Amino acid sequence: MDDFQSGEETAFVVDEVTNIIKEAVEGSIGGNAYQHNKVNQWTSSVVEQCLNQLTKLSKPFKYIVTCVIMQKNGAGLHTASSCYWDNQTDGSCTVRWENKTMYCIVSVFGLAI
Amino acid sequence: MADRKAELERKKARLEQMRRERKEKELSKTRNVGDDSKTSVKSSGSDASGAEPDDILREFGISPAPEGSPATPKKAAAQSQAVKEVEVPTSVSHTTPRKVRLSVAKVNETSIPPRENVSYSKETQTIIADPVDKDGGRHGKSHVNDDNDLDFIENLEGSSSHAHQFRGHGHSHGHGHTHKMPHVEMVAPATTSEEQNKEHKKPVPELSEEEKKQILMSEGFQKFFDHSSRIVERALAEEVDIFADYSGKDSGGKDDEAMAGERLKVNRDFYDDKWSKHRIITSLDWSAQHPELLLSSYGSNEDATNVPDGVALIWNIKYKKDTPEYVFHCQSPVMSSCFAKFHPNLVLGGTYSGQIVLWDNRVNKRTPVQRTPLSASAHTHPVYCITVVGTQNAHNLISVSNDGKLCSWSLDMLSQPQDSMELQHKQSKSVAATCSSFLSGDANNFIVGSEECLVYSASRHGSKAGINEAYDAHQGPITAIDTHRVPGQIDFSPYFLSSSFDWTVKLWSIKEQKYLCSFEDNSDYVSDVQWSPTNPALFSSVDIMGRLDLWHLNHETEVPTASVVVDTNVALNKLRWHQTGHHIGVGDDMGRIYIYDVAENIANPKADEWSKFVRTLQEMKQQATEREEDSTLLGSAAPIR
């Protein structure tokens, strides 16, 4: 039991985090079209929601959450990231969400304490 | 169940342990000042665990909590918190000595591709009003911008010299241009222009040389003169000929009789002393809208220096006059020309310099109204092939130059090609194109003949754009190719002919690599070959010994059905069938065009001509396969006879 629990605690569970992110994004910008004056709020709310849900997991992790919202204008975008950490315990997860007018890319990095 | 009980027991033991340790900590709390977080954890933990041992038991009944469900993570968190509380003092000591193995993680990439913007734009170019050329800018009104005054005057003389009736009426004036004006006025037969000339009568005695010149140069006068002199010439020629008609035709005046009766007979010839002398005829084309008009383009006249290098003339076979209907010229020898199929007034020419020029017979100008630029975006090598493909509403001018570049143009906009591509065959070898022909009814697929003795089939668009296949059998540069285009119940469009410097004409199908039949009756370079537009089994070829051959494949495939030698001193360069299939226009290298009449019994296809031709082709295919077998037996690469 101890091992089972410790397994749960000290590893980054990608699926769980993905779900959290998806819910946060859907909740914040779900059916909306891109509006320049509201984007500010949206990015903040996505990040906050994600972080809240993640902390609620109460895992011994440090979290870094980033959110990019890009209007669909025909431009291309390319981002990349890499990390130097303990592959056994740390992990990251990126969710790419889109609707007709915008893209939203959220990345969560979890580093075990 | 037993396992569960055992685990329950274990849990209970742990809980008791936790309680004990909690008490210890509470005691040591006062001692431990530094760790506020720990105490808070402890206190919250203690609160939580105080309330929850029962909960823990309960939840353990629920035990393997699925991840992601909101309720259980909380409890699991609480659980883990409780456990953590135990472990915190120990875990603190654990974390620092715990081995941390760091390594670089995989790169996380996100990519959103840009959107491709497809746009379409069309431009039209306006005609430049006043081209400035090597003669210096002429003042706008004059239409003979690139000519000298002298040219114009010579032309006057030239055209009126043919109207020798004028002289015959006793006006023996000199050739000074001042005498031209009264000359025209006083002529009786020119009834159509007489009324207009009366106006000129009055100012004539009062005008000075300068003023006369001005009038001559004026646009109105030149238009009038051009138009009316044409009509007058025709009328005059016509008069003479009404008598000569029957006697001339039947008396076999020319001595170019065919061996077997009158299969090929010379009807007339076209030659202009000024414009076509000593010039090789580089291309011929019949007009689609006016079947009596024949366009011929000429190369340069090496003997004369002051004349334009490139000339295109339009002749008329309907009337007996033997001067060209229209004269066009440009600065560079015209290598290929054609009527713009869907524009009755436009004439296109491809020149030696790579420029494509457009003449318009509505404008009273002999120089091109539009030209393509001489730049790398267009052609920089001689343009040997130009064709107009497409339909009335959607057509393009396709030009292929000697460096293998194919450009497609819109006739409104010659300042840049709509599309261009390089014709390359394997290992980026450019095709040195000398002739091209589009497949019947197809604006996309065509065949090209080159100087490298190869014929290629190619496409303009599509997945197979560019050169597709090469047909290799000739031993000399290809001079002409022609695709079959006789409409009928059976379609022979895959078949094409090629003529070359190797003295042969070969018949191919685009679907086969090897030729079907080789016609080797000539004893010198074969310069042109063309299918008849009406008879599927008939084609004609010319060679540089002055020979014009007519091959009727349903009768005979070894020798021509009819053959005629135009003149042993002359090399025939181009031939073109008339749309009716009854006349052939043949051009030589001295600037003379001969119009031959083809006997009706040969020119007209019989009802069974198509099916007979199918049989002929089958026989040829059989012979071709036999030939292949022979050649493989002999071990030679290509059959040589």
Side-chain angles (χ1 to χ4, degrees):
Chain A
M1 192 172 98
D2 217 344
D3 299 328
F4 179 61
Q5 281 187 338
S6 62
E8 262 184 43
E9 288 179 31
T10 58
F12 188 81
V13 185
V14 180
D15 297 328
E16 193 180 25
V17 176
T18 312
N19 277 333
I20 290 174
I21 300 174
K22 282 188 187 160
E23 281 169 26
V25 172
E26 279 289 332
S28 313
I29 60 178
N32 304 343
Y34 183 89
Q35 282 160 284
H36 181 69
N37 52 354
K38 287 210 186 146
V39 171
N40 224 344
Q41 296 171 268
W42 290 341
T43 46
S44 312
S45 103
V46 165
V47 168
E48 280 171 13
Q49 266 203 292
C50 275
L51 213 41
N52 284 334
Q53 292 292 354
L54 288 167
T55 46
K56 278 190 194 161
L57 296 179
S58 305
K59 291 194 173 179
F61 271 85
K62 294 179 178 172
Y63 293 106
I64 298 161
V65 179
T66 65
C67 168
V68 176
I69 294 187
M70 185 171 107
Q71 185 183 16
K72 273 193 177 176
N73 257 342
L77 174 74
H78 201 106
T79 71
S81 70
S82 180
C83 311
Y84 184 65
W85 56 28
D86 185 341
N87 266 321
Q88 311 293 336
T89 55
D90 308 326
S92 71
C93 153
T94 308
V95 168
R96 212 185 106 171
W97 180 96
E98 66 179 279
N99 71 2
K100 267 185 102 179
T101 51
M102 57 188 171
Y103 296 103
C104 179
I105 305 158
V106 180
S107 297
V108 170
F109 301 86
L111 301 117
I113 295 170
Chain B
M1 273 308 277
D3 293 324
R4 273 198 160 193
K5 278 188 180 165
E7 288 177 289
L8 271 165
E9 296 294 316
R10 260 181 270 142
K11 258 275 179 177
K12 276 187 188 162
R14 175 170 283 174
L15 280 167
E16 285 177 36
Q17 201 192 359
M18 276 159 54
R19 279 181 204 143
R20 260 181 268 132
E21 285 175 357
R22 213 181 301 132
K23 281 172 194 160
E24 284 174 24
K25 269 169 228 156
E26 277 171 358
L27 292 167
S28 62
K29 212 209 261 182
T30 50
R31 290 174 229 151
N32 238 337
V33 187
D35 250 338
D36 284 334
S37 55
K38 257 195 265 177
T39 51
S40 63
V41 166
K42 273 185 236 161
S43 54
S44 62
S46 61
D47 289 339
S49 54
E52 281 179 332
D54 298 333
D55 287 352
I56 290 170
L57 287 170
R58 225 181 298 136
E59 91 195 44
F60 198 72
I62 316 173
S63 177
E67 292 173 1
S69 69
T72 43
K74 226 181 173 181
K75 289 188 179 149
Q79 206 179 23
S80 59
Q81 232 181 17
V83 176
K84 219 198 296 183
E85 197 226 347
V86 171
E87 292 181 343
V88 156
T90 48
S91 66
V92 169
S93 50
H94 278 176
T95 45
T96 39
R98 182 177 71 176
K99 263 193 186 171
V100 173
R101 275 164 274 115
L102 301 177
S103 54
V104 179
K106 203 173 66 151
V107 175
N108 233 330
E109 278 185 32
T110 308
S111 159
I112 296 167
R115 179 179 63 200
E116 291 260 356
N117 282 333
V118 177
S119 65
Y120 169 77
S121 65
K122 178 177 156 82
E123 306 164 41
T124 333
Q125 187 188 31
T126 54
I127 297 170
I128 304 167
D130 212 23
V132 177
D133 52 26
K134 61 179 184 184
D135 290 332
R138 292 262 158 198
H139 293 297
K141 287 181 187 173
S142 163
H143 291 291
V144 283
N145 264 329
D146 294 348
D147 286 347
N148 297 323
D149 258 348
L150 216 51
D151 270 2
F152 173 68
I153 292 158
E154 283 175 16
N155 183 47
L156 276 176
E157 292 175 356
S159 54
S160 55
S161 69
H162 288 283
H164 49 268
Q165 303 277 17
F166 286 125
R167 304 276 178 250
H169 285 284
H171 293 291
S172 52
H173 288 279
H175 290 288
H177 82 277
T178 44
H179 296 284
K180 291 304 168 203
M181 290 268 301
H183 212 87
V184 170
E185 294 160 19
M186 290 187 264
V187 162
T191 48
T192 50
S193 37
E194 200 181 9
E195 298 303 320
Q196 294 161 354
N197 285 341
K198 278 185 184 155
E199 288 177 37
H200 288 277
K201 241 187 192 169
K202 286 169 201 168
V204 164
E206 294 152 15
L207 288 179
S208 67
E209 284 296 320
E210 285 289 317
E211 289 170 293
K212 282 178 190 162
K213 255 197 187 173
Q214 240 185 343
I215 292 180
L216 275 178
M217 289 293 124
S218 76
E219 188 171 336
F221 178 79
Q222 287 187 17
K223 255 194 192 162
F224 143 73
F225 195 83
D226 196 38
H227 180 69
S228 38
S229 61
R230 205 170 286 138
I231 298 172
V232 167
E233 279 179 309
R234 280 187 213 155
L236 289 169
E238 218 56 56
E239 274 188 5
V240 170
D241 232 79
I242 284 173
F243 297 114
D245 234 4
Y246 293 108
S247 47
K249 242 188 189 172
D250 294 330
S251 71
K254 313 283 176 186
D255 44 10
D256 296 323
E257 290 292 331
M259 334 176 273
E262 300 174 357
R263 290 193 190 145
L264 274 174
K265 233 174 63 135
V266 172
N267 184 337
R268 60 187 300 179
D269 67 345
F270 288 124
Y271 180 75
D272 185 282
D273 207 39
K274 179 176 182 234
W275 289 107
S276 58
K277 194 171 187 178
H278 292 316
R279 291 176 188 259
I280 179 171
I281 288 167
T282 52
S283 79
L284 296 167
D285 191 27
W286 294 92
S287 165
Q289 286 90 357
H290 304 286
E292 65 269 20
L293 293 181
L294 171 66
L295 166 70
S296 56
S297 68
Y298 299 81
S300 59
N301 186 348
E302 280 103 19
D303 299 336
T305 45
N306 228 10
V307 290
D309 272 347
V311 170
L313 305 176
I314 297 187
W315 303 91
N316 193 329
I317 61 166
K318 201 157 114 179
Y319 302 109
K320 292 299 175 187
K321 77 164 190 172
D322 45 5
T323 50
E325 284 279 338
Y326 293 98
V327 175
F328 298 121
H329 54 75
C330 66
Q331 291 310 315
S332 171
V334 183
M335 293 287 114
S336 57
S337 66
C338 68
F339 279 101
K341 247 198 280 188
F342 306 103
H343 293 265
N345 297 306
L346 301 180
V347 174
L348 294 152
T351 65
Y352 194 74
S353 61
Q355 206 176 40
I356 296 172
V357 291
L358 177 76
W359 290 285
D360 192 332
N361 70 355
R362 295 168 290 196
V363 180
N364 206 357
K365 241 172 87 151
R366 289 179 168 191
T367 48
V369 291
Q370 275 204 45
R371 293 161 236 254
T372 60
L374 273 172
S375 73
S377 62
H379 295 291
T380 50
H381 278 68
V383 176
Y384 282 118
C385 348
I386 51 173
T387 10
V388 175
V389 294
T391 59
Q392 174 71 42
N393 294 323
H395 53 270
N396 280 326
L397 169 68
I398 308 296
S399 57
V400 187
S401 60
N402 207 26
D403 59 353
K405 188 153 184 204
L406 181 141
C407 287
S408 105
W409 310 81
S410 154
L411 285 174
D412 304 319
M413 175 73 175
L414 286 183
S415 65
Q416 67 178 38
Q418 269 187 347
D419 192 24
S420 67
M421 70 187 216
E422 295 281 339
L423 293 172
Q424 286 172 346
H425 174 62
K426 290 190 203 173
Q427 301 120 11
S428 353
K429 242 184 17 156
S430 286
V431 165
T434 54
C435 46
S436 76
S437 176
F438 272 78
L439 291 184
S440 165
D442 194 338
N444 192 22
N445 298 308
F446 60 99
I447 42 173
V448 179
S450 71
E451 289 172 354
E452 298 121 8
C453 321
L454 291 166
V455 180
Y456 302 95
S457 74
S459 309
R460 277 173 61 209
H461 317 291
S463 53
K464 293 196 286 174
I467 301 282
N468 292 332
E469 274 187 47
Y471 304 93
D472 186 5
H474 279 291
Q475 275 115 34
I478 313 288
T479 49
I481 45 173
D482 190 41
T483 48
H484 201 279
R485 56 189 86 244
V486 175
Q489 49 272 62
I490 306 172
D491 179 39
F492 295 113
S493 49
Y495 297 100
F496 66 92
L497 292 163
S498 61
S499 67
S500 129
F501 274 14
D502 68 355
W503 304 2
T504 66
V505 173
K506 291 189 173 27
L507 170 67
W508 311 72
S509 161
I510 53 171
K511 299 174 187 159
E512 324 247 333
Q513 282 286 341
K514 299 291 172 190
Y515 62 90
L516 276 166
C517 189
S518 178
F519 306 100
E520 294 173 15
D521 196 58
N522 296 79
S523 34
D524 214 330
Y525 298 170
V526 183
S527 43
D528 203 354
V529 70
Q530 200 192 10
W531 288 105
S532 157
T534 50
N535 192 327
L538 187 63
F539 72 88
S540 170
S541 67
V542 281
D543 70 6
I544 64 170
M545 297 250 290
R547 221 172 95 172
L548 166 65
D549 295 324
L550 209 57
W551 297 78
H552 197 303
L553 296 174
N554 283 345
H555 294 170
E556 180 67 65
T557 59
E558 293 290 320
V559 285
T561 312
S563 182
V564 131
V565 177
V566 170
D567 190 334
T568 43
N569 273 341
V570 122
L572 295 176
N573 198 35
K574 280 289 161 188
L575 88 95
R576 211 106 197 118
W577 282 87
H578 188 252
Q579 285 94 313
T580 56
H582 292 147
H583 306 287
I584 304 180
V586 179
D588 68 5
D589 65 341
M590 293 302 286
R592 202 171 281 270
I593 303 175
Y594 304 90
I595 305 291
Y596 276 84
D597 288 341
V598 183
E600 305 246 336
N601 56 344
I602 297 194
N604 291 339
K606 302 184 188 48
D608 62 347
E609 211 73 66
W610 280 261
S611 38
K612 265 176 127 180
F613 193 48
V614 173
R615 257 173 277 148
T616 315
L617 289 170
Q618 278 170 354
E619 282 169 22
M620 284 184 189
K621 275 187 200 143
Q622 262 185 329
Q623 286 168 7
T625 40
E626 280 165 24
R627 197 179 55 221
E628 275 308 298
E629 287 165 11
D630 290 341
S631 68
T632 49
L633 285 171
L634 290 170
S636 58
I640 300 166
R641 280 192 195 169

